[in-house]
Amino acid sequence: MTVDWGHVFAGRVSGMSASEIRELLKLLNRPEIISFAGGIPDPDFFPSSAIAHAYQKVFQSNAGAGSALQYTISEGHTPLREWICTYMGKHGVQAGLDEVLVTSGSQQALDFIGKLLIGPGDLVVVTAPTYLGALQAFSPYEPRYISVPMDEEGPELAALEAALAEKPKFFYLVPDFQNPNGTTVSLARREALLDLCEKHGVPVVEDAAYTELRYDGEPLPPLVGLDAARHGGKPTNVIYCGSFSKTMVPAMRVGWVLATAEVVNRLVLMKQAADLHASTINQIILHDVVSQIFDSHVKTLRSHYKERRDAMLAALAEYAPPGVTWTKPQGGMFVWLELPEHVDGTQLLERAIKEANVAFVPGSAFFADRSGKNTIRMSFSATSPERIREGVRRICELLKRV
Ligand SMILES: Cc1ncc(COP(=O)(O)O)c(C=O)c1O
């Protein structure tokens, strides 16, 4: 008798299905397609020579190679955690080594947070829209989502307060240049949402994947720093997720969680159960590279990506038909378009690929309730300014036809 796999899968995975856009996005390898779909860094800007040099150093001695290729502790490579503590200190958080866990990308941190905090049917508050990967990480733990709408300053407070009154397990958000809509939460809104979460005793999960990629305006303190300022400089109500994927390279799969030791202790147990530890050699290499070039490299990235952000905004201003509006992000990788009510982002993508050789991600994927049908996300990070201009022109021509 052959196995009926559908019957054997655990109940909690029944809601997990392949996204309808995946088939369409498979077409993106064709060179003639200008893709704004992936939210990925441009490989041309990877610090490849610094990485190569760091590898050479590791393999110069047998002892160095031996420890880099060995198992390590689950908490993470100690010099890297020390670097992270110093970095977070600049953002107003006095964290000790026992308050930091290195994870295999910040995506793994989101999975562990879901595992730690969500039981079947528990409420989780997210913004509308939110990071699709967070929904994918949390959903196997079977939460019910409450989506809080956003304005240009961040989550709307009245809706947030109503959501918090339902006693959710946590509030997840991306305060800087959010994936997908590019919105940055204002300072006043940061303080206000921390007030509300503290009043209701609800933890905040802060995803800082894009924080370093700011092109205009003054950097804002992270929620974890504002929260620490209220609690003697220590992380208290906020769980902070950091990543080296957007500032250095995604392939190393190195990110971190910073939270109270009580939370981190539990997360360390999850790390042991999941994969024992993040790759030893990658942590060693990354520590070497960030110690040498973090600030200068991020500065270079900012100037390249700023040029691309500006190219996308200028092309939209020139070509977009009436009825289309878009965000003007101060950083990150994404511009978010709101289309006239009758335009469906998924149908538009199908036509955009076939008729205009251009791609993006339909916005409804980023809503826990699958609303936002007339929105799309366009990433400018991995496309040259010239191709951005041409791609935006093609999408806008198509929009005029629909
Ligand atoms: C908002 C956000 N959080 C987390 C991640 C995961 O990043 P990584 O696991 O590479 O650190 C991403 C990746 O695109 C992201 O956009």
Side-chain angles (χ1 to χ4, degrees):
M1 188 168 141
T2 57
V3 174
D4 174 1
W5 287 107
H7 191 69
V8 178
F9 291 150
R12 66 178 176 280
V13 301
S14 64
M16 295 167 74
S17 57
S19 104
E20 71 269 25
I21 56 172
R22 194 180 296 167
E23 287 304 310
L24 289 172
L25 296 180
K26 273 187 196 156
L27 303 170
L28 297 190
N29 293 335
R30 301 202 325 247
E32 65 275 21
I33 299 242
I34 298 178
S35 175
F36 302 128
I40 54 173
D42 189 324
D44 284 350
F45 309 148
F46 288 156
S48 309
S49 56
I51 291 172
H53 187 59
Y55 270 104
Q56 274 164 10
K57 277 198 273 179
V58 162
F59 288 105
Q60 253 162 18
S61 72
N62 283 342
S67 52
L69 298 174
Q70 188 53 281
Y71 286 114
T72 187
I73 53 175
S74 299
E75 289 81 350
H77 182 52
T78 303
L80 180 62
R81 281 187 298 141
E82 285 166 352
W83 187 94
I84 290 168
C85 289
T86 308
Y87 170 84
M88 295 305 297
K90 294 180 195 153
H91 294 286
V93 190
Q94 293 157 29
L97 286 179
D98 56 349
E99 288 157 326
V100 176
L101 165 69
V102 177
T103 51
S104 298
S106 58
Q107 189 66 30
Q108 187 178 50
L110 297 176
D111 174 44
F112 289 173
I113 290 165
K115 203 180 222 175
L116 181 66
L117 301 180
I118 305 171
D122 284 345
L123 291 169
V124 168
V125 182
V126 293
T127 54
T130 188
Y131 169 50
L132 169 63
L135 297 175
Q136 288 174 323
F138 302 149
S139 291
Y141 303 106
E142 302 180 270
R144 288 175 295 142
Y145 293 108
I146 308 182
S147 295
V148 173
M150 301 181 81
D151 60 30
E152 58 287 348
E153 277 197 64
E156 288 178 11
L157 293 176
L160 177 61
E161 169 115 62
L164 296 173
E166 303 279 323
K167 304 203 180 314
K169 282 304 190 70
F170 60 88
F171 173 32
Y172 165 82
L173 78 165
V174 187
D176 297 300
F177 330 119
Q178 173 170 251
N179 179 2
N181 60 354
T183 300
T184 296
V185 181
S186 70
L187 183 57
R189 198 65 67 88
R190 286 174 198 234
E191 293 283 12
L193 77 83
L194 284 174
D195 286 344
L196 286 179
C197 288
E198 181 145 4
K199 178 175 148 195
H200 289 273
V202 174
V204 175
V205 175
E206 173 174 31
D207 183 335
Y210 297 92
T211 301
E212 288 290 338
L213 299 180
R214 174 178 277 282
Y215 318 131
D216 309 314
E218 287 303 309
L220 293 172
L223 295 167
V224 73
L226 294 171
D227 181 56
R230 300 167 177 210
H231 299 100
K234 300 301 283 178
T236 306
N237 294 331
V238 177
I239 303 178
Y240 177 97
C241 305
S243 172
F244 291 109
S245 293
K246 315 297 177 184
T247 50
M248 293 290 138
V249 286
M252 295 265 175
R253 306 309 302 133
V254 180
W256 73 93
V257 192
L258 183 142
T260 67
E262 187 182 357
V263 169
V264 168
N265 283 342
R266 298 289 174 123
L267 294 173
V268 169
L269 296 178
M270 286 171 183
K271 185 71 185 156
Q272 280 170 5
D275 58 356
L276 300 181
H277 59 76
S279 153
T280 315
I281 189 163
N282 289 355
Q283 294 186 71
I284 291 174
I285 298 299
L286 206 60
H287 171 249
D288 186 348
V289 174
V290 294
S291 305
Q292 315 273 344
I293 62 158
F294 186 82
D295 288 339
S296 61
H297 184 64
V298 168
K299 205 168 152 203
T300 311
L301 290 179
R302 286 189 196 121
S303 77
H304 287 305
Y305 290 142
K306 179 183 193 312
E307 195 188 358
R308 294 173 178 200
R309 190 264 332 245
D310 291 346
M312 185 166 275
L313 294 180
L316 282 165
E318 186 172 343
Y319 298 120
V324 176
T325 57
W326 58 93
T327 55
K328 297 170 184 78
Q330 291 188 310
M333 297 184 169
F334 309 102
V335 174
W336 179 253
L337 270 67
E338 205 166 314
L339 312 172
E341 277 295 327
H342 69 277
V343 183
D344 178 294
T346 305
Q347 287 169 11
L348 186 73
L349 173 64
E350 209 169 333
R351 287 189 62 178
I353 293 176
K354 287 184 186 140
E355 296 173 30
N357 279 333
V358 57
F360 48 79
V361 181
S364 57
F366 302 96
F367 289 81
D369 60 6
R370 288 312 197 118
S371 61
K373 298 259 180 263
N374 62 325
T375 56
I376 61 173
R377 186 195 77 174
M378 307 224 297
S379 172
F380 51 80
S381 52
T383 311
S384 69
E386 300 70 45
R387 279 172 68 87
I388 288 175
R389 196 178 156 73
E390 173 58 16
V392 170
R393 190 191 65 74
R394 290 188 205 165
I395 290 178
C396 292
E397 285 304 313
L398 177 64
L399 274 170
K400 283 176 197 157
R401 295 202 294 277
V402 299

